[in-house]
Amino acid sequence: MAELVGYLITGVGVGCAYALLGSGLVVIHRVTRVVNFAQGGFAVLAALTVTTLLTAGLPHGLAESLAVLLATGIGLLTGMVAIGRPGTTPQAALIITLGLGVLAYAVEIFLWGDQPRSFPGLPGSTAVLGARVQTHYLLIIGVTAVILGATALLFARTDRGRALTATADDPYAARIVGIDVARMGLLAFALGGALGGLAGVLVTPVQQVSFDSDVVLVVNGFSAAILGNLTRPGLTLAGGLLLGVVQALVGGYLSTAYQTEVALIFMLGVLILRSSSARVEEVTA
């Protein structure tokens, strides 16, 4: 029983990181209709930056904050390149983000090499229902709850958040009422960068990161987001938690070698179910 509880909590912790990545994808896609394949790169960049800042002597907290701020800036820059030119289609912007992700490989190898890196997180372990789990997993869960809650409040209670929501719902109507749709798109990319960077900072103490870790991260983030059709943050959170728990159980009872395959099967299953549901609706209509 204690072993099962341990796997569940670690799965929820890692699933929270997937939910943060997926939420970044959702924010960007809702506002711009672009699937940002550079999302995993934000996480990797922030994580590797923390390793450098800690080595330079900066304290925890400050190092992580600066890394997330850098990821936010890179997210904004990605948005400027991907959608900054008027008339750029979502399909073209998708290819641009993919190219920027490949470019990030070269930069990261040049700066940090190709070996996996990590850094210490919150030390110690905590007893939960008879199981001993790393305290850092509880930190991931707590920070994710606060950040996603704050993001929901941003969209629901602030003028800028309402402008983002209006742009996501109907860009044409948003332009008519005076909302700068292009600026909202750039803000969405910046938020996506911040959420991706935070995910990387949180998960790296428990999972080593290297230049090519963005592939696994974006696959898991996208798998979480696809449950909500890239538009519903609540279902993205649920998808991330479910995916993290299933991967933890598979890794604990079978082998960690199958964890990426679990994400792909999960995503494929959701797509098949959605396709089947759409066909049923067409037939009944």
Side-chain angles (χ1 to χ4, degrees), residues 59-196:
H60 278 288
L62 178 59
E64 286 85 349
S65 298
L66 289 175
V68 172
L69 185 61
L70 175 62
T72 304
I74 295 299
L76 176 61
L77 182 61
T78 301
M80 293 172 66
V81 175
I83 64 171
R85 183 178 179 181
T88 303
T89 64
Q91 293 78 12
L94 181 153
I95 298 301
I96 291 172
T97 64
L98 183 60
L100 291 173
V102 174
L103 175 62
Y105 278 13
V107 175
E108 288 159 0
I109 291 175
F110 177 76
L111 293 176
W112 290 286
D114 59 356
Q115 296 303 307
R117 294 193 177 206
S118 185
F119 56 87
L122 198 64
S125 61
T126 303
V128 180
L129 299 177
R132 302 294 302 186
V133 296
Q134 293 183 47
T135 306
H136 189 81
Y137 283 108
L138 303 180
L139 175 66
I140 297 174
I141 296 170
V143 171
T144 300
V146 170
I147 293 300
L148 292 185
T151 302
L153 289 175
L154 169 69
F155 278 89
R157 300 292 180 86
T158 69
D159 292 339
R160 191 59 56 87
R162 294 189 186 99
L164 283 167
T165 301
T167 303
D169 291 340
D170 192 334
Y172 179 74
R175 287 192 186 93
I176 291 176
V177 299
I179 296 174
D180 189 335
V181 173
R183 181 174 294 181
M184 291 302 102
L186 295 179
L187 178 58
F189 266 93
L191 284 173
L195 291 169

Side-chain angles (χ1 to χ4, degrees), residues 241-266:
L241 296 180
L242 178 61
L243 183 59
V245 167
V246 172
Q247 285 187 344
L249 293 175
V250 169
Y253 291 115
L254 296 176
S255 171
T256 57
Y258 301 126
Q259 289 180 323
T260 301
E261 285 76 6
V262 168
L264 294 172
I265 293 171
F266 179 86

Side-chain angles (χ1 to χ4, degrees), residues 190-211:
L191 284 173
L195 291 169
L198 181 62
V201 165
L202 288 173
V203 79
T204 301
V206 295
Q207 291 186 357
Q208 287 186 325
V209 167
S210 63
F211 74 96

Side-chain angles (χ1 to χ4, degrees), residues 268-282:
L268 181 61
V270 170
L271 292 173
I272 291 173
L273 287 174
R274 287 193 180 281
S275 177
S276 300
S277 299
R279 286 180 185 148
V280 170
E281 290 177 1
E282 288 178 1

